[in-house]
Amino acid sequence: MMLRAGAAEVVITPPVGTPLEGYGARTEPSIGVHDDLTAQALVLDDGRTRVGLLTCDLIGVDRPLTTWVRREVEQRGLLPGDHLLIAATHTHGGPRGLLALRGEADETLVTITARQLVGVVSAATREMRPARLMLGWSAVESVSQNRRFPHGPIDPTLFVLRVEEAQSGRLLATLVNFAMHPTVMNFDNLFITADYPGRVRQVIRRVLGEEVIVLFANGACGNINPARVAAVFSEVERIGTIIGAAAVRLLAELTALGQLVAADNLLWGERTPKPPPEATVAITAPDLRVARAEIELPLRSFASAASYDAQIAQLRQALDSLVLQFPLYFFRGMLGVGGDACGARHLW
């Protein structure tokens, strides 16, 4: 059967004044909106299985939020709840109060956000039409660095899924995957922002059409941070432009997959096909399948605040003692008292 696909987007920007998540050193609430936070849904149906991908500009999504969204999606008959993958871009410029794990969930914000996420999935199902899928990948090595080991490993591979209308070839949506923290902006930024994923979406749309739905998933970015000149919005634009431009190139290359691509030969009348780029795949017979596994990880146990304060005080006392003793040991060694007398005489 013919694959069908639908995609949609919704703005999920919270009110100005909402505290921002991502940095413990940031204590002031947001003071403005640099760029909107958004959520995108892509729904695919091969005639046997329907699946959904949902990406959102949030620090993360926890079990209460995903359970609520999946339940509502299933109750509305949109798709089975277990068939919906929900991923956050992990922007550090999004709202605080969505994660129940911290014990500070803002129930009003959680409810509004959950309804928006369900709504964008519903909108995507209404846009379902015959579609084709292509996959491409390339390396982007200039924008990221391992934050613990500067010369350590990174994942430079940029993946792009092209979803196009079957009859016209028009680009409907794309899923961009790149492993890097959206932390170009630092804790002193108080403006709501999607960070570089927002710029990636902007670049793709400006080149390939404002109507294109761009999903962004940042994969396993644990210790991979942006390699930036400074924590300023011009760097958000620079880094996002590099990634977005690489994605645009891939999407353009994927456009011609399955078609005859050749130069007109002036020596004879036939056209010799040019092989497609190696890092591209046309998914001609999609077979959608779903697998889900829940992994429970124990929370780390911490001592009381008083215990940590006592340890810090003890370490500071030991440090002060070392600082006071160092000059005494130094001069005693210079005088040859309790130290190397020959060395002392030589130094004098």
Side-chain angles (χ1 to χ4, degrees):
M1 297 183 66
M2 172 67 73
L3 177 78
R4 292 172 58 82
E9 180 177 83
V10 64
V11 174
I12 59 171
T13 305
V16 173
T18 300
L20 299 179
E21 183 64 279
Y23 294 109
R26 183 164 50 197
T27 58
E28 298 297 320
S30 59
I31 60 173
V33 178
H34 179 270
D35 52 282
D36 276 321
L37 308 182
T38 56
Q40 300 80 22
L42 172 64
V43 179
L44 304 172
D45 192 327
D46 65 0
R48 298 176 298 275
T49 305
R50 176 173 288 191
V51 300
L53 303 175
L54 176 57
T55 57
C56 42
D57 291 324
L58 301 173
I59 190 70
V61 289
D62 59 8
R63 178 175 291 182
L65 179 63
T66 57
T67 298
W68 197 97
V69 172
R70 289 188 174 116
R71 183 183 67 244
E72 286 295 311
V73 162
E74 184 163 343
Q75 288 180 352
R76 296 188 185 192
L78 303 175
L79 70 157
D82 283 347
H83 290 197
L84 179 63
L85 173 65
I86 307 174
T89 63
H90 195 59
T91 176
H92 284 39
R96 177 177 297 178
L98 288 172
L99 299 180
L101 181 65
R102 288 176 172 240
E104 55 183 29
D106 181 331
E107 295 302 328
T108 299
L109 182 61
V110 171
T111 300
I112 292 173
T113 303
R115 288 174 176 172
Q116 291 171 320
L117 298 183
V118 173
V120 75
V121 175
S122 178
T125 60
R126 294 195 297 271
E127 297 295 324
M128 301 287 286
R129 65 194 70 184
R132 290 191 297 261
L133 302 179
M134 291 95 163
L135 179 67
W137 59 96
S138 66
V140 179
E141 300 180 342
S142 64
V143 298
S144 58
Q145 187 174 25
N146 191 301
R147 66 182 178 180
R148 291 189 182 272
F149 309 101
H151 302 291
I154 61 172
D155 181 1
T157 308
L158 172 71
F159 289 96
V160 170
L161 178 69
R162 178 183 173 92
V163 185
E164 66 177 33
E165 197 171 46
Q167 185 172 0
S168 67
R170 181 174 68 88
L171 180 62
L172 299 175
T174 179
L175 171 63
V176 179
N177 173 249
F178 188 70
M180 184 174 73
H181 266 82
T183 52
V184 178
M185 299 304 293
N186 213 336
F187 68 89
D188 54 352
N189 168 58
L190 298 178
F191 286 90
I192 295 169
T193 177
D195 210 273
Y196 79 83
R199 178 62 173 177
V200 170
R201 288 191 288 261
Q202 186 181 63
V203 169
I204 293 173
R205 284 175 163 167
R206 286 186 178 180
V207 177
L208 300 178
E210 293 294 335
E211 74 283 357
V212 177
I213 304 300
V214 182
L215 295 85
F216 183 91
N218 57 9
C221 63
N223 275 324
I224 306 177
N225 270 14
R228 65 193 181 194
V229 175
V232 292
F233 279 111
S234 59
E235 277 296 277
V236 172
E237 294 185 4
R238 181 184 72 86
I239 291 172
T241 297
I242 291 171
I243 300 170
V248 167
R249 192 207 79 193
L250 282 170
L251 289 166
E253 289 180 341
L254 291 170
T255 304
L257 283 188
Q259 303 180 62
L260 175 62
V261 177
D264 291 331
N265 197 306
L266 301 180
L267 299 180
W268 55 85
E270 62 185 34
R271 301 181 73 205
T272 303
K274 180 177 178 58
E278 290 186 1
T280 56
V281 175
I283 306 174
T284 55
D287 183 12
L288 301 177
R289 302 186 186 188
V290 176
R292 180 182 176 188
E294 289 192 7
I295 302 174
E296 292 191 6
L297 300 175
L299 294 177
R300 184 176 177 181
S301 297
F302 292 95
S304 66
S307 174
Y308 287 118
D309 289 340
Q311 291 182 47
I312 292 172
Q314 185 178 6
L315 291 171
R316 282 177 175 166
Q317 185 177 7
L319 180 60
D320 291 341
S321 175
L322 290 174
V323 171
L324 290 173
Q325 291 178 32
F326 175 76
L328 178 60
Y329 289 146
F330 177 76
F331 286 114
R332 288 184 66 187
M334 293 286 284
L335 295 171
V337 181
D340 184 352
C342 293
R345 284 195 295 271
H346 177 73
L347 288 173
W348 280 105

